[in-house]
Amino acid sequence: MRNAGQSNEEVMRQVYALHARALHSYITKRVDGDSHLAEDLTQETFLRASSHLEITSAEVADLRPWLVTVARRLIIDTYRKRATRPSEQSLELAAHDVAACNDQSDNIIQMLVLKEVFGILNPAQQEALFSTHFYGYSSSESAGLLGVSPGTVRSRTFYALRSLREALADT
C-alpha cells in the first residue's frame, strides 16, 4: 500500500480523506443513525487499517471494499456485545416498550409483506437495491462495492423496483 517515499501517516491521511465520509455514512445507516457509535466504529475501522498497512498491497483507492468489510464486522461485534449484555431497564421503560409494540402491529405486518416480496428478487438485485436505496450509495459507489459496472447497478435496481411494484400490486 505504501507509495515510495511516503510514511504510514501520509498513506493513512490519503486513505482517510478518500474513504472516511462514505464509510461513516455506511456505518451510520447500519447502526440506526447513532452518530456517536458510528464515529467510534469509523475510528476503529481506520485504526485497524493503520495496523494492517504492511499486510495489504492494495492501492489507496481500492481499499473501500476491505474497509466496509472491517466496518461490517465491527458493527456485528457491537450488536453481539449488546445482545449478550442487555442494558437494565426500569419497569416504566418496559411498559412503554410493550405499549409501543402494540402500536406497531401495522408496521410489523407491512414488514412481513415487504420481506416476502423482497424474496422474489435475485441476490444481485437485492444487493443493488439495498446499496442504492437503503444505504444511499450512488450507482458508481455501489458498483465499486459490488464489483460490477455502474450500468449494471442501475439495470439491476430498475428491474428490482419493477418486480417489487408488480408484486405489491398483486398483494
Side-chain angles (χ1 to χ4, degrees), residues 46-112:
F46 283 104
L47 182 64
R48 291 196 183 182
S50 70
S51 67
H52 290 85
L53 281 176
E54 302 303 324
I55 295 172
T56 182
S57 62
E59 293 295 323
V60 171
D62 297 332
L63 284 177
R64 189 169 295 169
W66 182 78
L67 290 169
V68 167
T69 300
V70 171
R72 184 174 353 103
R73 290 179 180 158
L74 286 170
I75 293 166
I76 291 168
D77 290 346
T78 300
Y79 281 115
R80 284 181 180 158
K81 285 178 188 173
R82 287 182 177 179
T84 58
R85 187 172 243 184
S87 61
E88 295 181 20
Q89 291 185 343
S90 68
L91 292 177
E92 292 176 12
L93 288 175
H96 175 71
D97 288 346
V98 170
C101 287
N102 291 337
D103 294 339
Q104 299 283 334
S105 60
D106 288 337
N107 291 342
I108 293 170
I109 292 170
Q110 289 174 351
M111 291 298 289
L112 290 172

Side-chain angles (χ1 to χ4, degrees), residues 13-165:
R13 285 178 196 222
Q14 289 177 353
V15 171
Y16 188 84
L18 189 60
H19 302 293
R21 186 172 180 216
L23 188 65
H24 187 268
S25 175
Y26 169 81
I27 293 172
T28 301
K29 290 174 185 171
R30 300 284 286 201
V31 295
D32 299 325
D34 184 343
S35 61
H36 296 292
L37 178 59
E39 185 61 36
D40 289 344
L41 292 174
T42 302
Q43 289 176 7
E44 180 65 24
T45 301
F46 283 104
L47 182 64
R48 291 196 183 182
S50 70
S51 67
H52 290 85
L53 281 176
E54 302 303 324
I55 295 172
T56 182
S57 62
E59 293 295 323
V60 171
D62 297 332
L63 284 177
R64 189 169 295 169
W66 182 78
L67 290 169
V68 167
T69 300
V70 171
R72 184 174 353 103
R73 290 179 180 158
L74 286 170
I75 293 166
I76 291 168
D77 290 346
T78 300
Y79 281 115
R80 284 181 180 158
K81 285 178 188 173
R82 287 182 177 179
T84 58
R85 187 172 243 184
S87 61
E88 295 181 20
Q89 291 185 343
S90 68
L91 292 177
E92 292 176 12
L93 288 175
H96 175 71
D97 288 346
V98 170
C101 287
N102 291 337
D103 294 339
Q104 299 283 334
S105 60
D106 288 337
N107 291 342
I108 293 170
I109 292 170
Q110 289 174 351
M111 291 298 289
L112 290 172
V113 169
L114 284 175
K115 184 177 178 183
E116 182 179 327
V117 171
F118 271 105
I120 67 170
L121 301 177
N122 67 47
Q125 289 175 326
Q126 289 177 2
E127 287 177 336
L129 187 64
F130 275 93
S131 179
T132 56
H133 287 280
F134 291 99
Y135 300 137
Y137 290 119
S138 68
S139 332
S140 299
E141 291 172 329
S142 297
L145 289 171
L146 300 175
V148 296
S149 72
T152 301
V153 170
R154 288 190 294 271
S155 173
R156 288 176 180 173
T157 303
F158 171 80
Y159 287 110
L161 289 172
R162 187 174 75 176
S163 295
L164 289 176
R165 278 188 210 104

